[in-house]
């Protein structure tokens, strides 16, 4: 049991021990870094490849189809076929495009997605770098991807790309605010920014089982879905309106890199949500890394479920949700966690629920869109000067 | 650049293939040298990017060069062991401020042009402000007592230290900045608010 739990840690230690037999210390030191980096560089693209297959399967089942099943058993080799297809496709750069930016954008967008993996605690003792500013690092690094999307949209010199880029930025700025604020309660209670220490702080119980934890988790998860530009928040690449948004002018491997960044981010934000609110790798019976992956994939499954069920938001609905609902709720949540921290026993439950419940209800009521019973169409009137549809 | 010339055996072992076994201490010295070289490289890139900000002919390219400058400064913070500050630098400046700057560029009328010029007629005012800032900076640099060998001590730069300092010693400036920020937010809303039709 103990052996299974620490399988990967032991594997790394074994490799280092073997190296230490006949190589000097400093090579072992470098090797210890290289092993972690290589593990991440293999894990991330592999995750991405099979997430594409999983998504197509799950969405297929939701839509009463079977999904890809031709390449290999159950379509298991489909991602490899896709990869070969992407690599052999012609790389088209538009005549008017800014060649440097058009080339750099897909390269840069993958970097933050991969860098994030450095602080994700995959299991007990399985964090690549245990930074003491782990959460801050995560938020800061993932905010760079906006710049890359901008470079793609401006460098393509295409109006659909540009529209997609502007939508992306509007969305990312809006959703980053409640996302960061929803993390604040966790930091306040755990009294640390390190991802490992936050999991340790949840030994007594996952944060999601507290009123502020539940509210924070829901806010964080919704914002995370929006930050990944996934349905129902996918207006930056709304196919029915602006072709494909910021990556309209990309083909071949560059297009694949945008998809890779998106899917890696999907995994990364799910992993962070698990770390912050769902107790990370903590769980009975199973090895810690298996618990972590199970929880992360459960959240990813919810994202696929969203994609298969919900229609796309309108731009104004999207902005309204972030600024008028999630933001005030996140601010109230910070107040609630303060109350929770300083009140004794039962009082904290009563008080927290007493504050969060009514405020949730009030925000929902205030955000209900106003639909007038008697619609007036100023520009669409029939010949009798009567309003159509009244 | 004194550390590079220090005689360390790892460097010579790697460079000349000389047969000597370096100890862990040598390796640490070698790694420190590497880090120093990296910091100087980051500084050089930062300065090149800063020159790019003011000389590139395309406004969008200038903005991206500015992103490079800000990332470089974050790198310098990291080298000075101010992790928290580096994270905040990337989050606030690269993630938020630069995104807003680029968004503002995207809202300009000349967006359709291939080259958006980055100069305007406010060079004189900008020069005055820059000179004032330079005066302030030089004044601060001159007034700071720079120790040749600063004593090894606990430098309060972690998130906990910064938070405690903001809530105790610097609570007044902190609150003043908050009030200014609120005023700016309200002002922005007032300016952006549409006049109601009568």
């Amino acid at each position: 049991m103990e052996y299974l739990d620490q399988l990967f840690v032991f594997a790394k230690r074994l490799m280092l021990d073997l190296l230490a037999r006949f190589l000097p210390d400093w090579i072992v030191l470098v090797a210890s870094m290289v092993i972690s980096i290589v593990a991440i560089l293999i894990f991330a693209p592999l995750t991405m490849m099979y997430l594409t297959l999983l998504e197509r399967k799950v969405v297929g089942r939701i839509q009463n189809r079977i999904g890809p099943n031709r390449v290999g058993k159950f379509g298991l080799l489909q991602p490899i076929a896709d990869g070969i297809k992407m690599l052999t496709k012609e790389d088209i750069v538009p005549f008017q495009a800014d060649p440097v930016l058009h080339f750099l954008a897909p390269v840069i967008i993958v970097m933050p997605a991969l860098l994030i993996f450095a602080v994700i605690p995959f299991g007990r003792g399985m964090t690549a770098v245990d930074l003491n500013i782990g959460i801050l690092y995560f938020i800061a690094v993932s905010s760079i991807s906006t710049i890359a999307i901008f470079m793609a949209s401006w460098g393509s010199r295409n109006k659909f790309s540009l529209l997609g880029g502007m939508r992306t930025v509007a969305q990312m700025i809006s959703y980053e605010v409640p996302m960061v604020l929803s993390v604040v309660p966790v930091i306040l209670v755990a009294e640390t920014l390190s991802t490992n220490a936050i999991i340790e702080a949840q030994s007594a119980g996952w944060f999601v089982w507290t009123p502020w934890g539940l509210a924070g988790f829901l806010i964080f998860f919704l914002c995370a879905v929006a930050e990944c530009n996934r349905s129902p928040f996918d207006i930056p690449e709304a196919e029915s309106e602006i072709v494909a948004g910021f990556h309209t002018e990309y083909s071949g491997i560059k297009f694949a890199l945008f998809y890779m960044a998106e899917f890696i981010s999907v995994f990364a934000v799910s992993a962070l949500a698990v770390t912050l609110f769902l107790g990370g790798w903590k769980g009975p019976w199973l090895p810690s890394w298996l618990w972590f992956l199970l929880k992360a994939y459960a959240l990813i499954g919810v994202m696929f479920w969203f994609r298969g069920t919900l229609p796309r938001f309108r731009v104004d609905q999207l902005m309204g949700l972030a600024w008028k609902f999630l933001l005030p709720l996140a601010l109230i949540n910070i107040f609630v966690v303060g109350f929770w921290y300083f009140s004794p026993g039962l009082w904290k439950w009563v008080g927290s629920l007493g504050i969060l419940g009514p405020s949730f209800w009030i925000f929902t009521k205030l955000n209900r869109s106003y639909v007038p019973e008697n619609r007036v169409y100023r520009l669409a009137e029939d010949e009798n000067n009567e309003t159509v549809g009244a | 650049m004194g550390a590079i010339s220090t005689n360390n055996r790892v460097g010579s072992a790697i460079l000349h293939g000389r047969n000597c076994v370096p100890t862990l201490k040598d390796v640490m010295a070698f790694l420190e040298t590497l880090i120093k070289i990296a910091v100087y490289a980051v500084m050089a890139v930062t300065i090149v990017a800063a020159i790019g900000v003011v000389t590139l002919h395309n406004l969008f390219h200038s903005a991206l060069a500015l992103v490079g400058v800000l990332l470089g400064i974050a790198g310098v913070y990291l080298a000075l062991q101010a992790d928290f500050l580096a994270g905040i630098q990337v989050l606030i400046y690269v993630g938020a401020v630069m995104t807003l700057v680029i968004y503002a560029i995207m809202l300009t009328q000349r967006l359709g042009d291939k080259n958006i010029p980055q100069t305007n007629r406010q060079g004189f005012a900008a020069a005055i402000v820059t000179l004032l800032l330079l005066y302030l900076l030089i004044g601060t640099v001159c007034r700071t007592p720079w120790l040749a060998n600063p004593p090894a001590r606990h430098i309060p730069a972690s998130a906990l230290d910064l938070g405690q300092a903001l809530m105790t010693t610097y609570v007044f400036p902190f609150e003043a900045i908050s009030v200014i920020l609120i005023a700016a937010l309200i002002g922005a809303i007032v300016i952006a608010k549409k006049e109601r039709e009568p």
Side-chain angles (χ1 to χ4, degrees):
Chain A
M1 185 64 240
E2 169 70 19
Y3 184 74
L4 263 183
D5 184 44
Q6 295 291 298
L7 187 62
F8 297 104
V9 182
F10 285 153
K12 183 181 171 183
R13 210 176 290 159
L14 189 71
M15 266 190 257
L16 290 180
D17 280 349
L18 277 176
L19 285 177
R21 293 274 167 87
F22 48 90
L23 285 174
D25 283 352
W26 64 276
I27 291 188
V28 179
L29 200 75
V30 174
S32 124
M33 299 178 202
V34 170
I35 290 174
S36 300
I37 293 171
V38 169
I40 287 173
L41 286 185
I42 293 173
F43 179 77
L46 210 65
T47 308
M48 175 261 175
M49 281 165 65
Y50 280 92
L51 276 183
T52 56
L53 180 68
L54 192 68
E55 167 156 46
R56 290 166 74 179
K57 282 274 186 194
V58 171
V59 173
R61 287 290 172 184
I62 290 174
Q63 293 165 352
N64 209 0
R65 297 182 283 117
I66 295 174
N69 64 346
R70 292 288 122 180
V71 194
K73 191 83 179 152
F74 310 117
L76 276 178
L77 296 178
Q78 181 72 37
I80 294 166
D82 286 344
I84 293 171
K85 177 195 159 207
M86 287 289 185
L87 279 168
T88 49
K89 266 182 136 183
E90 186 190 357
D91 175 34
I92 300 166
V93 180
F95 176 61
Q96 287 277 312
D98 191 321
V100 179
L101 293 189
H102 189 266
F103 170 75
L104 273 183
V107 179
I108 290 183
I109 200 167
V110 178
M111 286 202 290
L114 284 175
L115 282 173
I116 287 170
F117 275 73
V119 292
I120 293 177
F122 287 98
R124 189 178 287 118
M126 279 173 63
T127 316
V129 188
D130 189 15
L131 282 180
N132 58 356
I133 53 158
I135 298 298
L136 185 68
Y137 170 88
F138 181 96
I139 295 166
V141 168
S142 57
S143 71
I144 297 176
S145 62
T146 324
I147 304 276
I149 289 179
F150 250 135
M151 288 166 69
S153 67
W154 195 84
S156 299
R157 312 257 329 134
N158 172 316
K159 55 177 169 291
F160 296 118
S161 299
L162 209 51
L163 281 173
M166 294 177 76
R167 287 179 173 198
T168 308
V169 178
Q171 178 173 328
M172 289 228 172
I173 293 178
S174 310
Y175 278 87
E176 204 165 274
V177 181
M179 185 169 169
V180 175
L181 287 177
S182 69
V183 176
V184 171
V186 175
I187 297 170
L188 285 178
V189 170
E191 297 180 8
T192 175
L193 285 165
S194 148
T195 43
N196 266 350
I198 286 174
I199 292 177
E200 286 303 330
Q202 298 178 63
S203 299
W206 302 357
F207 285 151
V208 76
W209 304 133
T210 54
W212 56 268
L214 185 62
F217 172 67
L218 292 177
I219 297 168
F220 182 86
F221 188 63
L222 288 180
C223 294
V225 177
E227 290 273 307
C228 294
N229 297 333
R230 289 191 60 85
S231 288
F233 303 96
D234 60 345
I235 61 156
E237 43 193 280
E239 293 90 352
S240 51
E241 300 160 31
I242 50 172
V243 191
F246 59 88
H247 54 66
T248 305
E249 292 288 0
Y250 284 92
S251 57
I253 192 66
K254 291 181 183 168
F255 177 77
L257 284 177
F258 279 111
Y259 257 74
M260 185 157 143
E262 180 180 323
F263 277 96
I264 293 177
S265 315
V266 164
F267 181 83
V269 291
S270 306
L272 194 73
V274 168
T275 308
L276 288 172
F277 299 101
L278 299 183
W281 40 258
K282 283 198 184 296
W285 309 308
L286 294 174
S288 57
W289 46 272
L290 198 57
W291 265 115
F292 188 82
L293 289 181
L294 278 177
K295 289 174 189 171
Y297 274 93
L299 286 187
I300 292 171
V302 175
M303 284 198 197
F304 292 162
W305 186 15
F306 280 177
R307 160 117 194 247
T309 343
L310 297 172
R312 185 178 301 133
F313 273 126
R314 250 178 13 226
V315 180
D316 59 327
Q317 293 170 333
L318 190 90
M319 290 297 146
L321 180 68
W323 290 108
K324 296 185 205 157
F325 185 76
L326 296 179
L327 180 63
L329 202 61
L331 286 172
I332 284 186
N333 204 23
I334 295 177
F335 174 72
V336 168
V337 78
F339 182 83
W340 175 274
Y341 193 84
F342 288 110
S343 335
L346 199 63
W347 267 112
K348 50 186 176 185
W349 282 92
V350 177
S352 314
L353 289 173
I355 302 167
L356 269 177
S359 50
F360 182 86
W361 186 76
I362 289 171
F363 291 139
T364 319
K365 285 282 166 207
L366 284 176
N367 272 295
R368 215 164 43 179
S369 54
Y370 168 69
V371 181
E373 280 183 16
N374 219 347
R375 293 194 182 213
V376 179
Y377 296 95
R378 284 189 200 161
L379 299 174
E381 290 177 335
D382 62 7
E383 60 270 17
N384 301 329
N385 231 7
E386 280 169 8
T387 315
V388 177
Chain B
M1 307 282 280
I4 297 170
S5 61
T6 47
N7 181 21
N8 61 60
R9 278 186 286 166
V10 184
S12 58
I14 290 174
L15 291 175
H16 309 295
R18 216 174 287 161
N19 194 9
C20 58
V21 182
T23 62
L24 200 64
K25 200 181 157 197
D26 293 330
V27 174
M28 282 302 161
F30 180 64
L31 282 181
E32 256 176 38
T33 315
L34 278 187
I35 289 173
K36 269 191 186 158
I37 294 173
V39 170
Y40 282 118
V42 165
M43 285 176 178
V45 170
T46 310
I47 290 171
V48 169
I51 294 170
V53 174
V54 285
T55 52
L56 283 173
H57 289 300
N58 187 319
L59 191 55
F60 197 79
H61 291 169
S62 293
L64 289 178
L66 191 53
V67 172
V69 173
L70 295 168
L71 282 176
I73 294 173
V76 174
Y77 284 154
L78 266 186
L80 295 174
Q81 300 187 340
D83 304 1
F84 183 74
L85 211 55
I88 290 289
Q89 165 89 3
V90 174
L91 178 63
I92 303 291
Y93 283 98
V94 181
V97 173
M98 282 320 295
T99 312
L100 273 181
V101 166
I102 294 174
Y103 201 56
I105 294 172
M106 287 200 142
L107 291 176
T108 53
Q109 275 185 333
R110 318 252 324 244
L111 185 60
D113 302 0
K114 196 162 185 183
N115 289 314
I116 313 171
Q118 54 105 303
T119 47
N120 60 14
R121 297 201 193 100
Q122 291 168 3
F124 184 67
I128 291 177
V129 174
T130 314
L131 283 176
L132 274 175
L133 189 65
L134 190 69
Y135 171 74
L136 272 177
L137 280 177
I138 289 177
T140 317
V141 168
C142 289
R143 259 181 281 124
T144 311
W146 300 97
L147 301 176
N149 288 312
R153 63 194 164 90
H154 171 65
I155 304 158
S158 75
L160 189 72
D161 297 322
L162 282 177
Q164 275 172 351
L166 277 181
M167 282 299 146
T168 53
T169 322
Y170 301 106
V171 69
F172 183 70
F174 181 70
E175 291 296 326
I177 290 172
S178 312
V179 170
I180 292 172
L181 199 60
I182 289 282
L185 282 174
I186 295 172
I189 291 170
V190 169
I191 291 171
K193 196 176 156 199
K194 277 187 205 146
E195 303 232 340
R196 278 187 186 281
E197 287 173 31

